[in-house]
Amino acid sequence: MKKIVVLTGAGISAESGISTFRDAGGLWEQYPVEDVATPEGWYKNPELVTRFYNERRKQLLSVKPNYGHIALKELEDFFEVVVITQNVDNLHERAGSKHIVHLHGELMKVCSSKDPNNQQYIQTLSPDNVEVKIGDKAKDGSQLRPFIVWFGEAVPKIEEAVKYCEHADIFIIIGTSMNVYPAAGLIHYVPRNAPVFLIDPNQVSVPAYVTVIQKGASEGMKQLKTLLIEQFA
């Protein structure tokens, strides 16, 4: 079985109705990034940050995976598929994808504010209990914080992602501007002989060897899935 490695960004989830940060009318216009997505914002106002992520979780419960997510699961019948996502939602999980690497953390998880990446202190919230309150503690006694990689923090899973990219037979990029590093740099680790496809309704600046499908995630994946099965399965 050929190995497909997929890099997904906010665009695939936007189609399900999740607000993006970067687009016009996106979350950054309502909440400055430094207030809700940096360690400094957390130390300055943990109540605001906690409330912001509680709202994001409630929004996540109200949306469903779209065909862009589902098609990636369907490709598992024909290929080994690893999804590397910049998204913190759980829509890939809910679509049934088996192998997902979350570069920027997971919205439905909380962790220690003292030692965020310590597995002992990471908890998964249940859909009927998504609200975290100030005073809720991790097992090390520190306030629970979102299990999110904020701006200015290291991306612990990037090395794992690089290893998958280095062994990709096919590389697919869906719904990302390719402006957010280190994720945007993953394309440079893909073997030169591996075909690379990008699905995005917007114009994205990519190298000439990338095949661009200028469509949304669902329409683009419908087209690409057929092509991949015909040519590579």
Side-chain angles (χ1 to χ4, degrees):
M1 265 194 179
K2 287 192 181 293
K3 295 183 180 71
I4 292 182
V5 178
V6 188
L7 174 65
T8 66
I12 191 169
S13 295
E15 209 169 293
S16 288
I18 291 185
S19 304
T20 64
F21 277 112
R22 291 172 184 281
D23 293 340
L27 289 170
W28 287 153
E29 292 183 11
Q30 303 164 46
Y31 296 90
V33 57
E34 58 272 12
D35 288 353
V36 294
T38 63
E40 294 77 17
W42 168 255
Y43 292 123
K44 179 179 157 192
N45 194 342
E47 291 89 351
L48 171 68
V49 176
T50 298
R51 192 167 67 245
F52 174 82
Y53 289 96
N54 285 342
E55 288 170 14
R56 302 282 71 72
R57 289 186 205 101
K58 286 179 196 164
Q59 183 198 26
L60 178 55
L61 294 179
S62 71
V63 302
K64 293 178 179 171
N66 60 65
Y67 187 70
H69 298 101
I70 293 162
L72 294 176
K73 161 68 176 86
E74 291 175 348
L75 282 175
E76 292 180 6
D77 293 338
F78 305 91
F79 304 94
E80 281 183 42
V81 182
V82 176
V83 177
I84 300 167
T85 186
Q86 299 171 81
N87 300 333
V88 298
D89 60 60
N90 60 2
L91 295 178
H92 285 300
E93 283 86 350
R94 283 160 59 189
S97 284
K98 292 189 186 74
H99 200 150
I100 305 154
V101 179
H102 280 274
L103 289 179
H104 296 158
E106 297 178 62
L107 187 55
M108 291 299 288
K109 292 184 178 180
V110 287
C111 59
S112 157
S113 49
K114 225 187 282 181
D115 193 4
N117 294 303
N118 189 321
Q119 293 294 321
Q120 294 178 67
Y121 307 134
I122 296 169
Q123 302 173 33
T124 301
L125 300 172
S126 63
D128 56 357
N129 184 24
V130 297
E131 289 218 22
V132 176
K133 300 176 188 68
I134 296 299
D136 290 348
K137 300 280 199 296
K139 285 179 184 171
D140 65 353
S142 69
Q143 170 64 39
L144 284 173
R145 62 159 263 188
F147 182 57
I148 303 289
V149 178
W150 285 325
F151 288 94
E153 293 185 318
V155 179
K157 298 253 178 140
I158 195 67
E159 287 177 16
E160 182 185 350
V162 164
K163 283 178 185 156
Y164 286 122
C165 291
E166 286 174 338
H167 296 97
D169 295 310
I170 300 160
F171 190 62
I172 304 170
I173 303 160
I174 309 173
T176 172
S177 62
M178 299 300 283
N179 286 327
V180 179
Y181 284 83
L186 290 173
I187 192 172
H188 302 303
Y189 293 94
V190 176
R192 278 288 171 199
N193 60 343
V196 179
F197 300 91
L198 179 133
I199 297 170
D200 200 288
N202 305 308
Q203 283 201 312
V204 180
S205 178
V206 287
Y209 60 82
V210 177
T211 301
V212 177
I213 299 173
Q214 200 166 348
K215 293 182 176 177
S218 293
E219 282 300 305
M221 272 310 300
K222 191 185 281 186
Q223 179 181 327
L224 183 58
K225 182 189 163 195
T226 303
L227 183 152
L228 292 173
I229 293 167
E230 285 175 357
Q231 292 191 10
F232 301 104

